[in-house]
């Protein structure tokens, strides 16, 4: 994961990484301590790792941050700070940006590949042509030019986009960052696989993926195609990491996605 820092830095983002195995995990303040105290041991370690990752991501873009309390499942940042957090297989990652109020934030780490059968939970019929049917080795790093997408890649792209699109619009509140939509869009929160652990009012099937170029795609709301973000998906070992670059302009009248 650390090898991705220059790539994210080129996109104007800071990357923070933490693991549940780091010695002496401690809450950064009373609000974090109170939240952690109510959690089972494994979830507590994930929670604290996510907070450490968020602070490291913010430091990577020149911002400091103390404790990060939560509202429901969402982390709450002080004014002028925002980050998106994801967990998978004992690793927590976060992305943050230094400037640009109103710019969306979202990331998703998936280190456990999803089976092809999970496609029906992620995609609609008009997206199934995106899937890669070839029996090829899965290599870490950038996606092969012209290759189809795995279910895991499409899941991660949509999950990262959902976090960004579900932002509050304040730039100072939830962990999904400023976002492009109202809070009622959903709370993908900081769970590693929001499709199963969060309860968004908009599901991943309510988003549409349109590949743009190698490793990039546009993810938009089917009900409102003008609300869209650009997402980069990078292969990490046998898993993937997806993160939102910025808001994407509408594809125009031809984008009839309802």
């Amino acid at each position: 994961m650390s090898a991705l820092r220059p790539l994210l830095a080129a996109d104007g983002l800071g990357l923070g990484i933490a693991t549940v195995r780091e010695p002496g995990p401690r809450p950064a303040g009373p609000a974090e301590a109170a939240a952690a105290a109510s959690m089972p041991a494994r979830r507590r370690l994930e929670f604290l790792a996510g907070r450490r990752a968020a602070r490291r991501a913010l430091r990577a873009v020149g911002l400091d941050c103390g404790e990060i309390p939560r509202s429901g499942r969402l982390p709450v940042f002080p004014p002028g700070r925002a980050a998106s957090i994801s967990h998978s297989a004992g690793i927590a990652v976060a992305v943050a940006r230094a400037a640009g109020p109103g710019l969306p934030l979202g990331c998703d780490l998936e280190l456990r590949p999803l089976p092809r059968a999970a496609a029906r939970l992620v995609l609609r019929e008009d997206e199934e042509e995106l899937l890669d049917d070839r029996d090829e080795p899965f290599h870490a790093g950038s996606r092969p030019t012209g290759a189809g997408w795995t279910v895991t890649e499409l899941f991660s792209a949509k999950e990262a986009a959902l976090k960004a699109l579900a932002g509050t619009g304040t730039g100072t509140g939830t962990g999904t960052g400023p976002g492009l939509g109202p809070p009622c869009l959903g709370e993908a929160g900081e769970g590693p696989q929001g499709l199963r652990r969060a309860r968004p009012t908009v599901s991943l099937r309510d988003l549409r993926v349109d590949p743009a170029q190698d490793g990039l795609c546009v993810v938009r709301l089917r009900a409102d195609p003008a609300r869209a973000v650009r997402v980069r998906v990078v292969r990490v070992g046998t898993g993937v990491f997806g993160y939102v670059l910025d808001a994407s302009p509408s594809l125009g009248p031809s984008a009839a996605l309802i």
Side-chain angles (χ1 to χ4, degrees), residues 8-163:
L8 270 76
D11 290 327
L13 297 167
L15 176 66
I17 306 168
T19 77
V20 298
R21 297 181 180 87
E22 292 180 24
R26 298 177 183 275
E32 284 189 14
S38 66
M39 299 175 180
R42 179 175 177 180
R43 171 65 185 129
R44 181 165 57 249
L45 291 174
E46 290 180 341
F47 171 79
L48 295 174
R51 282 352 191 227
R52 292 195 302 275
R55 283 187 281 271
R56 290 167 185 174
L58 287 163
R59 284 200 295 270
V61 293
L63 298 172
D64 60 357
C65 185
E67 72 167 341
I68 305 169
R70 64 176 184 165
S71 174
R73 290 183 56 83
L74 294 177
V76 178
F77 293 87
R81 282 112 175 108
S84 179
I85 304 170
S86 182
H87 311 88
S88 184
I91 296 176
V93 297
V95 296
R97 65 173 88 247
L103 292 176
L105 278 173
C107 73
D108 181 67
L109 179 65
E110 301 293 333
L111 296 178
R112 299 184 180 96
L114 298 174
R116 179 61 179 267
R120 62 184 178 83
L121 303 176
V122 181
L123 309 176
R124 293 196 184 184
E125 290 183 0
D126 60 357
E127 296 172 296
E128 291 181 359
E129 64 183 19
L130 302 176
L131 290 172
D132 190 350
D133 292 320
R134 296 172 299 175
D135 184 16
E136 292 186 354
F138 192 98
H139 297 292
S142 299
R143 302 187 68 260
T145 301
W149 296 64
T150 67
V151 175
T152 311
E153 288 173 318
L154 293 168
F155 176 93
S156 189
K158 286 193 175 189
E159 181 69 13
L162 183 60
K163 292 180 181 182

Side-chain angles (χ1 to χ4, degrees), residues 220-228 258:
R220 62 186 67 249
L221 285 171
R222 290 177 177 270
D224 186 0
R227 293 167 65 186
I258 302 300

